[in-house]
Amino acid sequence: MRMLFRCLFPLVLMLAVPPGAGAGAGAAADEPQGSLVIIGGGLRPDNDAVWQRIVQLAGGQGARIAVFASAAADPAPVAAAIVDYLKRYGADAFQVPLAVKLADSDFRQAADDPLLADAVRGAGGVFFSGGDQARITQALVRADGSRSAVLEAVWDVYRKGGVVAGNSAGAAVMSSTMFYAPKTVFATLRGGVRDGEEIAPGLGFIGDDVFVDQHFLVRGRFARMIPAMLTKGYKYGLGIDENTAMVVDRRRRVEIVGSKGALLVDLSRATTDPASAGFNIANAVISYLDNGDIYDLTTHGFTPSKAKAGRRLKPHKDLVADPVFSPDILGRNALVQLMESLINNRRSEAIGIATSGRGTPLPELVFQFTLSKTRDSVAYASVAPPSYSILNLRLDIRPLDLGQAPRPE
């Protein structure tokens, strides 16, 4: 039965949500006036900046916030903890008892309960917990693919100017396509993704032109985002790291809030070689957006944080010229570290390597990731604490035979 559901559910869900990357900024009929707070997972209870922003966007002190733990394996205690955190920051938060895994509850009946829908509709904000994002769509989307009454109420909150926040799995559902049952990052890079298997429709709050992923840099997930974006035709992707949020306002300006940052992936000029024996891409562009930075999804303009304003880096003779190399580009924060090393170096190119690794069932394979400075590349730096915002590095990925893998010169 579970296997049958996995096969059929993503197909009917496509009827409810745009299936991929359209040209518009989202469903025009919804005309959302609210904000999104897209959190990359691992949100700490003491992350004042993110929790306070959620409460502020929901209406400030005393704001009603509906908490969905629909993604959780054990929803009741997860929802209770989030309600408690939000109350500490001044919200009047309440649990929405709607989850596939909620004991003694019929989630389909709850999803169309008019009283429950009215309670959600009367809130100033909504918060989706982490867990398994497939459980969120299963709970909130009807079997025929249409929106349930409660999901429609969530959209009403967003349309009327409220906030929709999501942590981890709750972030994954923000785009119109989400990872559903993904393989490992390397296996995705090697084998690609398929609709109804590794990817499926999300809830589409950010629109149907931007792909969203979470736990992003700490887990090397940029390498799984790019194959998914190519499969669905997305030009832009945003990956948010842990304990950090992207706050998206009604004008589609993205502000980074929290302890780390986000990666912007731009495939608008990227190409692939279909004759190649493995996954490849050329002329992708990546940017690292740091805490306090703002990126406009409509104009593609960038505004550095106050700490970096006027602190654009310029080439100088004191820069080192050592090789810039990562033997494990999919490692924890390895991509950002390689980007930072490149901008602080006279060299114009950096190389990272990804392998299937020892002890895996897959035959050994190597992918080379090449980062290059271009005339559009720019970086900003803050002094205390030291941090960087890095824009417009070119990224090329190609497969190699194991014996071809480069070494630092």
Side-chain angles (χ1 to χ4, degrees), residues 280-361:
N280 68 93
I281 191 167
N283 206 30
V285 177
I286 60 172
S287 301
Y288 177 72
L289 312 177
D290 198 31
N291 180 39
D293 293 342
I294 296 174
Y295 183 82
D296 192 315
L297 289 171
T298 302
T299 66
H300 303 293
F302 171 79
T303 304
S305 67
K306 291 181 180 179
K308 298 187 183 74
R311 298 192 58 83
R312 178 170 173 169
L313 295 184
K314 298 179 180 179
H316 57 86
K317 63 180 181 180
D318 295 331
L319 289 177
V320 298
D322 299 331
V324 189
F325 180 79
S326 172
D328 181 15
I329 192 63
L330 303 184
R332 186 181 182 90
N333 296 320
L335 177 64
V336 173
Q337 292 168 5
L338 193 68
M339 294 172 73
E340 291 179 357
S341 296
L342 181 59
I343 63 162
N344 282 306
N345 196 291
R346 291 205 299 270
R347 298 199 179 212
S348 60
E349 186 175 279
I351 291 176
I353 296 298
T355 71
S356 57
R358 296 178 180 178
T360 63

Side-chain angles (χ1 to χ4, degrees), residues 15 33 36 38 45 47 57 80 110-111 125 128 143 175 189 192 244 290 310 332 349 377 381 392:
L15 300 175
Q33 298 299 306
L36 304 174
I38 305 172
N47 190 328
L57 292 171
F128 288 101
S175 54
L189 188 63
T244 309
D290 198 31
R332 186 181 182 90
E349 186 175 279
S377 301
N392 303 325

Side-chain angles (χ1 to χ4, degrees), residues 45-405:
D46 61 354
N47 190 328
D48 294 356
V50 174
W51 290 107
Q52 288 175 356
R53 183 64 67 89
I54 294 169
V55 174
Q56 173 197 349
L57 292 171
Q61 293 294 305
R64 294 279 284 168
I65 298 180
V67 175
F68 288 79
S70 307
D74 192 0
V78 171
I82 295 170
V83 166
D84 181 59
Y85 298 152
L86 288 167
K87 286 183 175 180
R88 292 183 200 175
Y89 287 92
D92 180 13
F94 63 97
Q95 177 183 355
V96 180
L98 170 55
V100 175
K101 294 289 188 177
L102 189 62
D104 304 318
S105 174
D106 183 338
F107 70 89
R108 295 204 181 280
Q109 183 176 358
D112 278 308
D113 184 330
L115 294 179
L116 198 57
D118 285 344
V120 172
R121 189 174 289 108
V126 173
F127 188 104
F128 288 101
S129 80
D132 182 347
Q133 53 263 32
R135 295 186 190 125
I136 299 177
T137 52
Q138 183 182 354
L140 289 171
V141 177
R142 297 187 183 115
D144 65 359
S146 62
R147 292 175 184 167
S148 66
V150 171
L151 178 55
E152 197 61 58
V154 173
W155 272 98
D156 283 344
V157 172
Y158 186 33
R159 291 187 195 108
K160 292 185 297 184
V163 61
V164 178
N167 181 42
S168 190
V173 299
M174 293 289 181
S175 54
S176 56
T177 300
M178 68 181 190
F179 280 102
Y180 180 70
K183 302 186 291 281
T184 66
V185 173
F186 188 88
T188 302
L189 188 63
R190 180 185 177 117
V193 297
R194 296 162 294 175
D195 270 318
E197 292 290 337
E198 291 80 19
I199 56 174
L203 299 181
F205 294 112
I206 199 171
D208 56 3
D209 60 337
V210 179
F211 190 92
V212 171
D213 203 1
Q214 22 71 15
H215 296 281
F216 201 66
L217 295 163
V218 75
R219 300 188 185 180
R221 286 184 171 177
F222 69 95
R224 79 175 193 178
M225 174 186 272
I226 294 174
M229 290 175 64
L230 288 172
T231 297
K232 299 300 293 184
Y234 285 90
K235 300 300 183 186
Y236 300 98
L238 283 167
I240 184 69
D241 213 11
E242 294 181 356
N243 200 31
T244 309
M246 299 183 290
V247 179
V248 186
D249 68 15
R250 66 183 182 86
R251 293 169 56 185
R252 307 195 82 213
R253 294 177 302 185
V254 181
E255 179 184 357
I256 310 303
V257 178
S259 64
K260 297 182 182 177
L263 196 76
L264 171 68
V265 178
D266 178 354
L267 302 186
S268 60
R269 292 171 291 177
T271 60
T272 61
D273 179 6
S276 173
F279 174 80
N280 68 93
I281 191 167
N283 206 30
V285 177
I286 60 172
S287 301
Y288 177 72
L289 312 177
D290 198 31
N291 180 39
D293 293 342
I294 296 174
Y295 183 82
D296 192 315
L297 289 171
T298 302
T299 66
H300 303 293
F302 171 79
T303 304
S305 67
K306 291 181 180 179
K308 298 187 183 74
R311 298 192 58 83
R312 178 170 173 169
L313 295 184
K314 298 179 180 179
H316 57 86
K317 63 180 181 180
D318 295 331
L319 289 177
V320 298
D322 299 331
V324 189
F325 180 79
S326 172
D328 181 15
I329 192 63
L330 303 184
R332 186 181 182 90
N333 296 320
L335 177 64
V336 173
Q337 292 168 5
L338 193 68
M339 294 172 73
E340 291 179 357
S341 296
L342 181 59
I343 63 162
N344 282 306
N345 196 291
R346 291 205 299 270
R347 298 199 179 212
S348 60
E349 186 175 279
I351 291 176
I353 296 298
T355 71
S356 57
R358 296 178 180 178
T360 63
L362 296 173
E364 189 67 62
L365 183 68
V366 175
F367 286 94
Q368 177 177 315
F369 292 68
T370 304
L371 291 176
S372 306
K373 297 174 186 175
T374 72
R375 63 182 181 182
D376 297 321
S377 301
V378 62
Y380 297 82
S382 63
V383 176
S387 62
Y388 296 93
S389 303
I390 305 167
L391 306 179
N392 303 325
L393 292 180
R394 173 172 169 156
L395 172 64
D396 301 304
I397 307 172
R398 66 187 181 102
L400 298 174
D401 292 332
L402 186 58
Q404 292 180 302

